[in-house]
Amino acid sequence: MKRRVSFSLPVTVVVLAIIYIYFSTIFVFIDGWFGLMSSPGILNAVVFTAVAFMSVFSYAVAILMDAGRVPFTFMPDIEDSSNPVHEIKRKGGDLRYCQKCSHFKPPRAHHCRVCKRCVLRMDHHCIWISNCVGHANYKVFFVFVVYAVIACIYSLVISGLLLVPLSVALGVLLGWHVYLILQNKTTIEFHEGVRAMWLAEKEGHVYKHPYDVGTYENLTMVLGPSISCWVCPTSGHIGSGLRFRTAYDAPFICAAKL
């Protein structure tokens, strides 16, 4: 689902940075090192252009794709015996209800104060894409970061120390989201889990993140069942976002139900 896009200064800065890095790498560093008319120069220019194109394409999709809206018809089914995990508020024990949107929230959904709506499996609101990162566009956002890191490292090798700060920052961001994917957590759930772990230890219990279903399963839930498609900015496998497989589900529950 596409969304309306308005002017954003951070997005403009990113676009200008991409343009600067691309043209400086091609016409200054690659041309200076190899010469654009030589075979090594052409090869490096083609490879870097391909990586840059995938970065730009993934970035554009992350901006334009809606992060995932909660359907107005959504109602939690508290009688569903196959869904033993019902997330509740920290206080009171009522089902998760958004007072601002005036509807119930599915598991892992949160209200974004910037977008002023609830977002399915919300990770965070990213000013650099002027959009929330959530259920529908999380993989696209992750793939963009992967290609951006590759492009920066590639350009770093060619251009020297100019891109060190950007490469380090994007590398840290990539490492953080790799960790989150392996644990099947969002950024919000990570911070909530710290508090939940503290409360569990205080009561003598062991806290386990309910959506952690194993490393490989966690990867396929976000990136897709086919390894060959992990680097493609596609999200046809993500399901409705209203329900997610948990560690408490029976093994025979198939992904088609998610």
Side-chain angles (χ1 to χ4, degrees):
M1 179 186 296
K2 292 184 179 181
R3 67 187 192 95
R4 293 182 179 180
V5 179
S6 57
F7 174 79
S8 169
L9 181 59
V11 171
T12 303
V13 170
V14 172
V15 171
L16 292 176
I18 291 173
I19 293 173
Y20 171 77
I21 292 170
Y22 176 78
F23 282 99
S24 62
T25 301
I26 295 292
F27 296 105
V28 177
F29 300 111
I30 291 181
D31 189 28
W33 275 79
F34 307 106
L36 285 178
M37 294 298 104
S38 65
S39 296
I42 293 174
L43 178 62
N44 277 278
V46 169
V47 172
F48 184 73
T49 298
V51 175
F53 172 80
M54 290 304 300
S55 297
V56 172
F57 178 76
S58 302
Y59 184 63
V61 175
I63 292 173
L64 296 173
M65 181 178 288
D66 191 283
R69 298 174 180 268
V70 178
F72 289 109
T73 57
F74 171 76
M75 285 292 294
D77 185 3
I78 60 175
E79 302 297 331
D80 184 4
S81 60
S82 65
N83 186 22
V85 177
H86 297 288
E87 296 184 19
I88 59 175
K89 294 181 178 179
R90 295 177 184 173
K91 298 179 181 179
D94 297 328
L95 289 169
R96 302 176 72 240
Y97 186 82
C98 181
Q99 299 290 345
K100 296 179 180 178
C101 295
S102 299
H103 61 58
F104 287 100
K105 292 189 289 187
R108 314 181 83 176
H110 294 274
H111 186 87
C112 176
R113 291 176 294 178
V114 179
C115 296
K116 297 180 180 179
R117 63 183 178 86
C118 288
V119 176
L120 296 172
R121 194 187 179 273
M122 180 178 173
D123 187 88
H124 68 289
H125 183 90
C126 180
I127 63 170
W128 302 109
I129 64 173
S130 189
N131 193 10
C132 272
V133 178
H135 177 65
N137 67 346
Y138 181 80
K139 181 192 174 182
V140 175
F141 172 80
F142 177 77
V143 170
F144 159 68
V145 175
V146 170
Y147 282 117
V149 169
I150 294 173
C152 284
I153 293 175
Y154 196 105
S155 183
L156 177 64
V157 173
I158 298 296
S159 61
L161 300 178
L162 182 64
L163 292 176
V164 169
L166 184 58
S167 298
V168 171
L170 287 173
V172 170
L173 179 63
L174 175 61
W176 170 246
H177 281 281
V178 168
Y179 166 77
L180 291 179
I181 289 176
L182 293 177
Q183 300 290 321
N184 200 1
K185 294 180 180 179
T186 64
T187 300
I188 293 174
E189 289 170 347
F190 171 82
H191 293 293
E192 291 179 342
V194 172
R195 183 177 185 275
M197 186 179 299
W198 176 77
L199 290 174
E201 291 179 352
K202 188 176 180 181
E203 297 176 359
H205 303 299
V206 177
Y207 172 78
K208 177 177 173 59
H209 182 57
Y211 299 104
D212 185 357
V213 293
T215 301
Y216 181 74
E217 293 296 329
N218 293 341
L219 282 169
T220 57
M221 286 181 69
V222 173
L223 301 180
S226 175
I227 296 179
S228 61
C229 294
W230 283 6
V231 293
C232 299
T234 56
S235 55
H237 62 282
I238 59 174
S240 66
L242 301 178
R243 179 179 170 187
F244 297 89
R245 181 181 171 188
T246 73
Y248 306 103
D249 288 336
F252 57 82
I253 295 179
C254 63
K257 284 188 174 182
L258 301 180

